[in-house]
């Protein structure tokens, strides 16, 4: 909605449903160094992972005057994933489930954010951009076998600043600072297993932590360089 030419607000609602079904059957045959048959092993695994994600946001923008533009907003995302993994080995008569590689887990994550930014033209040659974002994260991962694996709640501020200056038509400088967060994806955290062979598989790591980075950069442009 545009209140007037320089002032507006927007609201977004998004929903995503994704279902991953990954069944696998393995037949492993073993031979000695002379090529003589030793044994055969049969293994099967299944992985069913439905994922629901809902995101809503509201953003406000106002061109206050020729020098100042102000923006602010709020965002919330809700994600839920169920992960059902089963691995079974054939004993000659039937498939027997391996309890060490079979698990069902549920992951719920909620992220709330408030943010604002301002673009200010200090002079014809110098401009400044400032931003501040606050995020609160609530993550819970529960396993049927191991109970509560992850119960993580934290809030962080993420400021950004950018200033640029044009010395003349061919030379300019800029200085920037930002603080950001990189969260582990659901695939990184979910306690699943996928086999490459009987002795090699990869899986999620429930103990993985988010990473926070602080970046400072300085740049200069001279003509096309």
């Amino acid at each position: 909605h545009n209140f007037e030419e320089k002032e507006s607000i927007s609201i977004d609602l998004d929903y995503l449903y994704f279902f991953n079904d990954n069944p696998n059957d393995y037949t492993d045959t073993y031979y000695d160094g002379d090529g003589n048959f030793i044994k055969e092993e049969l293994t099967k695994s299944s992985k069913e992972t439905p994922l629901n994600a809902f995101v809503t946001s509201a953003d406000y923008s106002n061109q206050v005057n020729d020098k100042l533009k102000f923006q602010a907003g709020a965002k919330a995302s809700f994600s839920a994933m169920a992960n059902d993994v089963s691995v079974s080995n054939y004993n000659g008569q039937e498939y027997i489930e391996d309890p060490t590689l079979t698990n069902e887990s549920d992951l719920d994550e909620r992220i709330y954010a408030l943010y604002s930014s301002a673009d200010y033209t200090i002079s014809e040659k110098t401009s400044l951009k400032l931003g501040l974002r606050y995020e609160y994260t609530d993550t819970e991962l529960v396993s049927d076998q191991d109970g509560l694996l992850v119960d993580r709640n934290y809030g962080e501020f993420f400021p950004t600043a950018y200033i640029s200056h044009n010395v003349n038509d061919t030379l300019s400088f800029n200085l920037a600072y930002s603080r950001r967060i990189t969260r582990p994806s659901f695939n990184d955290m979910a306690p699943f297993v996928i086999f490459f062979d009987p002795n090699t598989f990869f899986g999620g790591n429930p103990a993985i932590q988010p990473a926070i980075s602080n970046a400072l950069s300085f740049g200069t442009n001279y003509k096309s360089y």
Side-chain angles (χ1 to χ4, degrees):
H1 175 73
N2 293 321
F3 296 103
E4 54 186 43
E5 184 179 353
K6 297 181 179 181
E7 187 179 12
S8 65
I9 188 172
S10 65
I11 298 175
D12 293 295
L13 300 173
D14 297 281
Y15 174 74
L16 168 69
Y17 174 75
F18 175 78
F19 184 83
N20 175 248
D21 185 11
N22 185 23
N24 291 282
D25 294 295
Y26 305 90
T27 301
D28 299 294
T29 307
Y30 297 84
Y31 300 88
D32 62 17
D34 297 325
N36 299 312
F37 174 79
I38 299 177
K39 64 177 180 177
E40 184 178 74
E41 292 181 350
L42 302 178
T43 306
K44 66 178 181 179
S45 68
S46 65
K47 175 181 177 292
E48 295 182 352
T49 308
L51 170 66
N52 293 273
F54 176 74
V55 182
T56 179
S57 63
D59 294 281
Y60 171 77
S61 177
N62 188 357
Q63 185 72 48
V64 180
N65 51 47
D66 293 339
K67 290 188 174 183
L68 177 63
K69 181 179 181 180
F70 175 76
Q71 295 176 301
K75 186 176 182 179
S77 66
F78 309 92
S79 304
M81 182 194 73
N83 192 68
D84 188 0
V85 176
S86 174
V87 177
S88 301
N89 300 304
Y90 190 68
N91 66 356
Q93 296 180 341
E94 60 180 344
Y95 279 94
I96 303 299
E97 193 172 78
D98 186 345
T100 63
L101 299 174
T102 300
N103 194 10
E104 185 174 350
S105 57
D106 295 285
L107 179 63
D108 290 294
E109 185 172 70
R110 300 182 180 187
I111 303 173
Y112 306 96
L114 296 172
Y115 45 88
S116 63
S117 64
D119 298 3
Y120 183 66
T121 302
I122 300 175
S123 66
E124 292 183 359
K125 294 184 176 183
T126 307
S127 61
L128 176 67
K129 296 181 180 180
L130 297 174
L132 182 62
R133 181 183 184 95
Y134 175 77
E135 291 189 9
Y136 178 79
T137 305
D138 183 1
T139 305
E140 185 177 276
L141 176 62
V142 180
S143 167
D144 281 355
Q145 288 190 1
D146 303 314
L148 185 63
L149 296 175
V150 176
D151 187 9
R152 189 179 299 148
N153 302 276
Y154 57 91
E156 294 284 346
F157 284 97
F158 301 97
T160 58
Y162 178 87
I163 186 169
S164 64
H165 178 71
N166 296 322
V167 179
N168 51 46
D169 293 338
T170 60
L171 180 63
S172 65
F173 300 96
N174 62 76
L175 179 66
Y177 165 77
S178 64
R179 188 171 190 261
R180 302 187 183 280
I181 185 171
T182 303
R183 294 181 179 83
S185 69
F186 284 178
N187 280 340
D188 294 330
M189 295 178 62
F192 67 90
V193 292
I194 294 179
F195 281 89
F196 291 113
D197 59 53
N199 300 309
T200 307
F201 67 88
F202 73 90
N205 177 12
I208 193 170
Q209 298 288 324
I212 294 178
S213 62
N214 292 275
L216 182 66
S217 65
F218 174 77
T220 180
N221 294 293
Y222 176 69
K223 292 185 178 179
S224 60
Y225 300 95

